[in-house]
Amino acid sequence: MKVLALAGYDSFFNAARLIAPYFEKLGATVDYALVKARRRKQISHEQLNELGLGNKVQYVDIKDYCESGEILKFDIVLSCLEGLSTRRLFHYLSSYGERRPYVICVYPGLILRYDYDGFAARAPADQLWLNCQRDLDNYTKMCEAYEVDASNSRLFGNVSLLEKIERTPNASDTGPIVFFEQAIIPRYYVERKYLVDKLCDLASRHPRRRFLVKARAAGSKATLHRSWYPIEDLFDEKIRLEGSIPSNISLTEQSAGQLLAEAAHCITVSSTVAIEAIHANVPTTIVRDFGAHDDYGLQYFYGSGLLKSLSEIQIGKHLKVDENWLSKYTCSPYSNLSLIDSVKKDYKRKRDIQSSLRCQIGQELQEEISSYGQEYILSRKYMSKENWLSRLMRNLKKI
């Protein structure tokens, strides 16, 4: 059994890396491929080395890789891709019918926003592994609305929990307080400057505690989302304008796993790391200072009992997570590893890709705009405002 893990960014490769050993235990071989998804850098060699993948990764264009037939060498595709690459994958695989590989789609992190866009893109998968019961319920509702078979969905759990955290003795009493930054949450300068100021205030209030700030990506590292105002630059700006920052706060390049092993407290806005911290019994606070905005994903944590403003955080006083929220919004994959065993039995039974596409776009609308080309539809250019040249070309076609 040959498995191909497709990914485009660091967290996506991390998900593939964590799942791969369980396929290998079944006797499968696992290859890795980086799918070209944009012109600028998607991942650095440093990041690949940190993931232990090094030179194991081949670089592919999904269109060329599928049309050349190279992808047919594999029995299973483990797709850890963002939406556009996922839509392209199923489009180019559909022409092969039963000869195509069996496709499993996996989410690398929490589904914080655009839930249904993501579900629709992945609906053609032979299996769609979801993070929690909430995601499973929402996917099922979508499929029912579009009269699409939802039986391909599986409750797998949060993939990142496959990386076990071994807590350091006395970490809760003596470890650092760690803030896990996100590249675009919050997004804007005023918000991010406020974040840095408040983190420094928090460190000043607790001068005997060590505070670490884990940037989502620093230096030459790349991520799916690029920050407009990198947090390390904002700390430098504060030092330049004010002369200093508290001596007990600093940035760190340690991995999230290393930090959670040692942390006395985890603070974040809406990072997937929060789920890892909760399951590792690390006291956790979700920062609510930036308001209720869908793009920031804080709604995922409503009902968790973990939301506080940065000024309200009291180090040493831990918030208790709501058990009902925990059971609906998180799930340990260790309870569902039998799914991987079942793939060995099921991988020759393929789902009809075309029947699931109506979740993405209605057949009649697709036919209406088909003259613009398939890439126009896959990349959803029809959902953007026309420029003058597009309008001119459209009107010329009517002549």
Side-chain angles (χ1 to χ4, degrees):
M1 192 164 64
K2 298 182 70 175
V3 178
L4 174 65
L6 296 176
Y9 301 92
D10 60 340
S11 59
F12 297 75
F13 269 113
N14 187 51
R17 172 189 71 89
L18 292 171
I19 294 171
Y22 295 95
F23 278 106
E24 291 169 339
K25 285 180 183 178
L26 297 177
T29 60
V30 181
D31 289 7
Y32 297 87
L34 172 71
V35 174
K36 182 180 178 182
R38 66 186 186 196
R39 292 180 182 177
R40 61 181 185 270
K41 182 169 65 176
Q42 293 172 223
I43 192 168
S44 67
H45 290 297
E46 178 186 358
Q47 286 169 293
L48 288 174
N49 288 333
E50 288 175 355
L51 292 169
L53 298 178
N55 297 321
K56 297 178 183 178
V57 177
Q58 59 178 317
Y59 293 74
V60 302
D61 176 275
I62 200 66
K63 180 176 184 291
D64 294 343
Y65 199 66
C66 289
E67 290 185 342
S68 69
E70 283 291 301
I71 201 166
L72 299 180
K73 297 186 300 185
F74 296 92
D75 301 299
I76 296 167
V77 168
L78 181 64
S79 175
C80 308
L81 297 169
E82 33 63 50
L84 174 56
S85 294
T86 301
R87 291 194 294 274
R88 286 173 174 156
L89 172 66
F90 287 120
H91 171 71
Y92 294 115
L93 281 182
S94 63
S95 63
Y96 290 113
E98 288 292 317
R99 292 193 298 138
R100 68 169 177 82
Y102 190 87
V103 181
I104 302 167
C105 281
V106 177
Y107 279 95
L110 302 182
I111 305 174
L112 295 177
R113 56 181 186 164
Y114 309 134
D115 308 30
Y116 297 102
D117 282 348
F119 293 154
R122 294 163 178 82
D126 298 297
Q127 288 194 24
L128 172 57
W129 292 358
L130 293 166
N131 293 333
C132 61
Q133 190 62 47
R134 170 258 199 179
D135 295 346
L136 191 66
D137 292 344
N138 287 347
Y139 176 74
T140 302
K141 288 175 187 175
M142 182 197 73
C143 288
E144 288 174 352
Y146 284 91
E147 298 177 20
V148 167
D149 180 14
S151 65
N152 63 334
S153 59
R154 306 285 190 277
L155 178 58
F156 182 71
N158 304 100
V159 176
S160 60
L161 295 180
L162 289 173
E163 187 156 13
K164 292 184 178 179
I165 306 297
E166 299 292 340
R167 293 281 284 157
T168 301
N170 301 318
S172 295
D173 299 320
T174 61
I177 290 83
V178 186
F179 177 78
F180 291 89
E181 184 243 11
Q182 294 157 274
I184 58 171
I185 301 176
R187 181 187 293 270
Y188 301 103
Y189 173 77
V190 169
E191 295 174 313
R192 294 179 73 79
K193 179 182 179 299
Y194 168 91
L195 173 62
V196 168
D197 288 342
K198 286 297 183 181
L199 287 172
C200 288
D201 288 348
L202 186 59
S204 294
R205 294 205 309 270
H206 301 275
R208 296 185 179 181
R209 301 303 297 263
R210 185 162 55 105
F211 286 77
L212 297 176
V213 177
K214 169 64 174 173
R216 176 62 184 85
S220 63
K221 295 181 179 179
T223 62
L224 173 60
H225 303 293
R226 297 183 69 183
S227 178
W228 293 349
Y229 307 100
I231 198 164
E232 57 268 36
D233 292 352
L234 292 171
F235 272 103
D236 289 343
E237 178 183 85
K238 187 174 179 67
I239 293 170
R240 188 171 64 253
L241 294 175
E242 299 180 15
S244 66
I245 58 174
S247 60
N248 60 327
I249 188 169
S250 60
L251 286 117
T252 179
E253 292 193 25
Q254 286 181 270
S255 71
Q258 291 172 323
L259 290 168
L260 289 178
E262 302 171 1
H265 200 119
C266 165
I267 304 172
T268 188
V269 179
S270 56
S271 172
T272 298
V273 173
I275 303 301
E276 298 166 30
I278 292 166
H279 278 260
N281 294 316
V282 180
T284 302
T285 301
I286 302 299
V287 175
R288 67 183 181 187
D289 297 57
F290 305 104
H293 303 295
D294 288 352
D295 275 354
Y296 287 0
L298 210 69
Q299 63 274 11
Y300 194 92
F301 295 93
Y302 293 167
S304 67
L306 300 177
L307 278 69
K308 289 288 182 183
S309 70
L310 285 161
S311 296
E312 293 172 327
I313 294 175
Q314 295 183 333
I315 303 303
K317 291 189 177 181
H318 305 150
L319 302 175
K320 180 175 173 56
V321 65
D322 183 88
E323 292 296 329
N324 291 328
W325 175 87
L326 191 66
S327 64
K328 187 174 182 180
Y329 284 79
T330 81
C331 178
S332 169
Y334 289 105
S335 305
N336 301 305
L337 291 176
S338 59
L339 278 179
I340 299 173
D341 295 329
S342 70
V343 171
K344 194 170 184 178
K345 304 172 187 173
D346 297 339
Y347 76 90
K348 292 186 179 179
R349 295 199 291 266
K350 312 288 171 58
R351 182 177 172 88
D352 177 29
I353 289 177
Q354 293 299 325
S355 66
S356 305
L357 295 179
R358 68 171 70 100
C359 295
Q360 297 179 28
I361 181 173
Q363 182 64 34
E364 292 183 10
L365 174 57
Q366 184 165 338
E367 291 172 358
E368 181 77 19
I369 60 178
S370 61
S371 61
Y372 290 93
Q374 193 60 47
E375 186 58 30
Y376 178 85
I377 298 171
L378 292 173
S379 61
R380 294 183 166 180
K381 290 182 180 177
Y382 62 91
M383 296 177 74
S384 59
K385 186 177 180 181
E386 286 186 312
N387 58 31
W388 67 269
L389 182 58
S390 299
R391 286 195 298 273
L392 176 62
M393 294 301 291
R394 174 166 53 82
N395 289 328
L396 286 173
K397 285 182 180 181
K398 295 178 181 179
I399 298 174

